[in-house]
Amino acid sequence: MKQNSKRVNDVILQTASIIIFFIIVIFSINLFFAGHYSPGGGFIGGLMTSAALVLLLLAFDSNTLSKVLPIDYRLMTATGLLIALATGLHSLFFDRPFLTHAYGKFDLPLLGEQTLHTAIAFDLGVYLVVIGVTMTIIQTIGESE
Amino acid sequence: MAYQLLINFFLAFIWMFLTGSFTSSGFFVGYILGLLILFMMRRFFRSGGGGFYFTRVWRLFKLLLIFIRELFLANFEVLRLVLSPTLKVQPGIFRYETTLDKGWKVSLLSMLITLTPGTLVVQVSKDNSVLYIHALNMPDKDALRKDIYDNFESSIKEATE
């Protein structure tokens, strides 16, 4: 990511990448929630989200991205691991083996009857870890001039 | 412009709540009715500039139709050039001054130019006012300039002013 050395005008790339960024993010969220009954899940959703962030890195530069999204990706990785660990540990309080998942039907306001499953929380942990690790790798490589 | 669209969505939701039909068809009916109400009240929106928002949608749709027509014509032109026994082309790069003011309009114009075969945007100048276009066959660059202006730039201006 070189600074102040732009000789060309990237207006087409930037306009296109902003529009495409939102489409990729909504697609990655769809992949994340699709993991239970159809192909998808936390891992591929996280990779897709980090791909959208990498697209912004390509169109702009790392300083702009850190201004727009002031996220510490190492903390994100830690948070994801903690969520996954807590999901595994909660079953110990109910005299069940480690990583036993609970699920049930709940009548939510506005959404009607939905089945909730604790596997989605574990998947959220995976999702955050994948984004954190990918972005940490790419930023570390990109900023070591 | 954008708040008329918001009002229209809001009216569609109100229609859904009034009729109690929370389906896509209920939303669609509400949207059409809201569009009619907005059309009757279009003189309200004069002061905010622009008038009725659906005219702009219609112009964008017309731009899409123009683009599809140009795509077909230019594709057949390139096909004719490629399949001709002797390659009589005059390739070159020319400047195209544009008067579009915003970056996304210039991007839209560049993409339309690039997607029609035979022409390709190579670079945009720093202040978004000049496009450098590579053309496969340009015996007369002024005709090509006029062609691009008549088809794309005037339509984009119409649709986004």
Side-chain angles (χ1 to χ4, degrees):
Chain A
M1 303 295 162
K2 292 189 182 119
Q3 300 298 309
N4 308 324
S5 63
K6 273 192 160 173
R7 290 183 296 103
V8 293
N9 187 352
D10 283 339
V11 64
I12 302 170
L13 176 67
Q14 288 173 355
T15 315
S17 59
I18 287 171
I19 296 168
I20 293 166
F21 170 78
F22 291 111
I23 298 171
I24 297 178
V25 169
I26 201 85
F27 178 58
S28 73
I29 293 171
N30 177 38
L31 274 178
F32 172 75
F33 282 113
H36 205 71
Y37 292 112
S38 46
F43 185 77
I44 188 75
L47 271 183
M48 211 70 190
T49 310
S50 37
L53 293 172
V54 170
L55 177 71
L56 283 192
L57 272 179
L58 288 176
F60 299 91
D61 51 28
S62 53
N63 285 355
T64 317
L65 190 69
S66 54
K67 273 199 197 78
V68 172
L69 277 175
I71 298 173
D72 188 353
Y73 291 105
R74 293 188 186 88
L75 268 179
M76 199 180 203
T77 315
T79 316
L81 281 171
L82 274 178
I83 290 173
L85 191 64
T87 316
L89 285 175
H90 90 281
S91 57
L92 293 179
F93 295 110
F94 298 100
D95 287 338
R96 298 275 168 79
F98 180 61
L99 276 175
T100 309
H101 284 295
Y103 58 92
K105 284 197 189 325
F106 295 94
D107 206 4
L108 297 174
L110 285 180
L111 295 174
E113 194 177 80
Q114 296 284 344
T115 311
L116 295 181
H117 199 294
T118 51
I120 198 86
F122 188 79
D123 236 10
L124 182 71
V126 174
Y127 179 80
L128 291 177
V129 168
V130 169
I131 296 178
V133 169
T134 317
M135 292 310 288
T136 310
I137 291 170
I138 285 165
Q139 279 192 335
T140 323
I141 293 170
E143 283 164 7
S144 62
E145 289 268 332
Chain B
M1 279 303 133
Y3 70 89
Q4 287 187 50
L5 192 67
L6 280 176
I7 289 172
N8 204 340
F9 265 83
F10 183 62
L11 286 171
F13 274 106
I14 285 182
W15 179 257
M16 275 164 65
F17 278 104
L18 286 173
T19 53
S21 62
F22 298 102
T23 56
S24 52
S25 64
F27 181 85
F28 185 71
V29 171
Y31 195 87
I32 298 288
L33 289 169
L35 203 62
L36 280 173
I37 297 167
L38 278 170
F39 179 70
M40 287 194 298
M41 286 292 155
R42 65 191 178 279
R43 290 173 191 83
F44 249 24
F45 303 110
R46 276 287 153 72
S47 53
F52 185 48
Y53 85 93
F54 208 75
T55 53
R56 186 180 282 196
V57 178
W58 176 246
R59 281 173 185 161
L60 278 173
F61 181 69
K62 256 180 22 187
L63 177 64
L64 180 73
L65 289 181
I66 289 172
F67 168 66
I68 291 171
R69 189 195 70 195
E70 284 301 307
L71 188 66
F72 270 90
L73 288 175
N75 260 309
F76 281 113
E77 176 68 20
V78 172
L79 191 69
R80 195 183 58 79
L81 285 174
V82 168
L83 294 180
S84 61
T86 54
L87 194 64
K88 278 189 252 169
V89 290
Q90 285 187 321
I93 296 180
F94 66 96
R95 283 167 61 99
Y96 176 79
E97 280 94 1
T98 175
T99 52
L100 295 172
D101 48 354
K102 288 200 172 66
W104 66 271
K105 294 180 194 174
V106 176
S107 306
L108 181 63
L109 179 68
S110 315
M111 287 173 191
L112 289 172
I113 292 168
T114 306
L115 278 171
T116 47
T119 48
L120 173 78
V121 174
V122 182
Q123 206 172 50
V124 187
S125 71
K126 282 245 184 221
D127 55 350
N128 293 348
S129 66
V130 179
L131 304 176
Y132 293 93
I133 302 173
H134 179 276
L136 175 65
N137 188 15
M138 40 179 283
D140 180 11
K141 60 174 185 259
D142 288 326
L144 208 53
R145 276 204 190 100
K146 193 177 167 306
D147 205 35
I148 290 172
Y149 184 84
D150 288 348
N151 282 323
F152 297 140
E153 188 170 340
S154 54
S155 309
I156 291 176
K157 267 187 190 158
E158 239 183 26
T160 56
E161 70 200 355

